[in-house]
Amino acid sequence: MEKQNNHIDRRGFLKIVGISAATTTAALYGCGSGTKSSQGRNASSPVPTDQMTYRSVGGIKDKVSLLGYGCMRWPTVPSPEGKGYLINQEAVNELVDYAIAHGVNYFDTSPVYVQGWSEKATGIALKRHPREKLYIATKLSNFSNFSRENSLAMYHQSFKDMQVEYFDYYLLHAIGGGGMKVFNERYIDNGMLDFLLKEREAGRIRHLGWSFHGDVEVFDQVLAMHDTVKWDFVQIQLNYVDWRHATGNNVNAEYLYGELAKRNIAAVIMEPLLGGRLSNVPEHIVGRLKQRRPEDSVASWAFRFAGSPELVLTVL
């Protein structure tokens, strides 16, 4: 990923696309026409392998690729028994190989992704590459069973499924829903946060953080724990719509990022394309972007925006 543009900062970019409270929903949540002009470079054009940007931010010394790989949706094939679908491991291997060949070194997964198969499939694909050149992230996704026994079992199973002896980045998964009551039940009352802190001390977790969805009061209270816990990173949703005009359960990313910046905490970014909607925007926005950089895809603008803040470690 390149820096957004030497002559266009985030404020300037928002002016180009015309983002305002009045235009956000109508302009960007509607469906674009999907015409050829919104597709950017021809997909068959060669992709350079030597232009990845690497970041070391906050207290993190790793040189992490600014473009990371989220492993939430791996390709699947019909089950031979005709019952549902299975992960297409060959396709997963090819995708991982392509990403690594083009400089990606950060891979993010979870025990619950792809019906519970993502960690194992990701582990198989990554095992074929040198471990010391990769940064692997997974999560404690104990949504349905908060017990210590279940949470510990999930934690240890992640090591087995991913075939690793340590995780570079480990997250408390999707905090915010259910308020502080649910957060406490998932991580405090069962002693799991204390356990994970000891695992970080032992080196089996190199960096400990959390991903956020939902109640901003939970964000504020858990972030306030930084004085004692020392969070290494936090994963937030950030894109050029949610920067100041988040809707629904989302929170303005300008606020979330600003609170992390006050504490010099690295930010990992999810949803840079707002669920894909920012890759298919209305034609009047396409036209403005193409005036500036005719050869760049519309989606690439969203990634450059998400990666432009200085404390962003990687964009998934």
Side-chain angles (χ1 to χ4, degrees), residues 1 81 184 241 244 273 301:
M1 287 176 58
E81 301 176 354
N184 288 333
V241 174
R244 289 182 179 169
L273 290 174
W301 282 91

Side-chain angles (χ1 to χ4, degrees), residues 42-118:
N42 188 312
S44 63
S45 301
V47 178
T49 59
D50 60 350
Q51 295 185 17
M52 180 62 70
T53 296
Y54 296 89
R55 290 262 181 94
S56 300
V57 300
I60 294 177
K61 297 180 180 179
D62 298 338
K63 293 182 178 179
V64 177
S65 57
L66 186 50
L67 180 62
Y69 204 126
C71 305
M72 185 176 179
R73 297 180 180 89
W74 284 128
T76 59
V77 293
S79 169
E81 301 176 354
K83 299 180 180 179
Y85 292 82
L86 301 175
I87 282 188
N88 184 340
Q89 188 65 53
E90 182 178 354
V92 172
N93 292 350
E94 291 178 358
L95 289 168
V96 165
D97 292 350
Y98 184 90
I100 292 176
H102 291 79
V104 174
N105 64 13
Y106 187 101
F107 293 84
D108 168 277
T109 184
S110 158
V112 299
Y113 290 168
V114 200
Q115 302 176 65
W117 300 328
S118 178

Side-chain angles (χ1 to χ4, degrees), residues 178-189:
M180 284 301 296
K181 178 179 183 297
V182 171
F183 175 84
N184 288 333
E185 289 175 345
R186 289 179 65 190
Y187 301 117
I188 304 299
D189 299 343

Side-chain angles (χ1 to χ4, degrees), residues 25-277:
T25 301
L28 293 172
Y29 279 81
C31 295
S33 62
T35 61
K36 183 177 180 180
S37 64
S38 68
Q39 301 305 309
R41 285 194 181 93
N42 188 312
S44 63
S45 301
V47 178
T49 59
D50 60 350
Q51 295 185 17
M52 180 62 70
T53 296
Y54 296 89
R55 290 262 181 94
S56 300
V57 300
I60 294 177
K61 297 180 180 179
D62 298 338
K63 293 182 178 179
V64 177
S65 57
L66 186 50
L67 180 62
Y69 204 126
C71 305
M72 185 176 179
R73 297 180 180 89
W74 284 128
T76 59
V77 293
S79 169
E81 301 176 354
K83 299 180 180 179
Y85 292 82
L86 301 175
I87 282 188
N88 184 340
Q89 188 65 53
E90 182 178 354
V92 172
N93 292 350
E94 291 178 358
L95 289 168
V96 165
D97 292 350
Y98 184 90
I100 292 176
H102 291 79
V104 174
N105 64 13
Y106 187 101
F107 293 84
D108 168 277
T109 184
S110 158
V112 299
Y113 290 168
V114 200
Q115 302 176 65
W117 300 328
S118 178
E119 281 190 330
K120 184 169 289 187
T122 304
I124 291 172
L126 294 179
K127 188 69 173 180
R128 298 151 51 249
H129 296 271
R131 176 67 179 91
E132 67 275 9
K133 294 184 178 181
L134 303 173
Y135 300 116
I136 299 176
T138 195
K139 309 172 180 75
L140 183 54
S141 309
N142 58 345
F143 300 116
S144 59
N145 185 338
F146 306 155
S147 73
R148 180 179 178 86
E149 180 182 14
N150 178 70
S151 300
L152 286 172
M154 178 176 285
Y155 176 76
H156 291 301
Q157 189 64 43
S158 291
F159 285 88
K160 295 177 183 178
D161 285 345
M162 299 208 70
Q163 304 179 61
V164 297
E165 295 181 354
Y166 64 92
F167 284 109
D168 300 283
Y169 298 84
Y170 197 82
L171 298 87
L172 314 184
H173 193 183
I175 72 165
M180 284 301 296
K181 178 179 183 297
V182 171
F183 175 84
N184 288 333
E185 289 175 345
R186 289 179 65 190
Y187 301 117
I188 304 299
D189 299 343
N190 59 10
M192 284 307 298
L193 179 56
D194 288 338
F195 170 79
L196 294 175
L197 290 173
K198 291 178 181 178
E199 289 293 280
R200 183 173 63 178
E201 291 178 7
R204 285 180 287 273
I205 293 173
R206 295 185 57 242
H207 303 95
L208 182 63
W210 40 278
S211 60
F212 169 72
H213 294 274
D215 189 342
V216 71
E217 292 184 4
V218 176
F219 178 90
D220 290 338
Q221 291 188 47
V222 176
L223 192 59
M225 297 167 62
H226 179 60
D227 292 340
T228 55
V229 173
K230 301 301 179 185
W231 303 114
D232 297 304
F233 69 106
V234 173
Q235 186 166 307
I236 60 173
Q237 181 163 313
L238 187 157
N239 53 67
Y240 59 77
V241 174
D242 285 330
W243 183 249
R244 289 182 179 169
H245 303 293
T247 58
N249 293 325
N250 296 342
V251 178
N252 281 355
E254 183 179 40
Y255 173 78
L256 301 178
Y257 174 80
E259 292 301 299
L260 297 180
K262 288 177 184 177
R263 299 164 176 82
N264 195 38
I265 299 174
V268 172
I269 304 305
M270 55 186 165
E271 291 290 345
L273 290 174
L274 194 58
R277 289 186 285 273

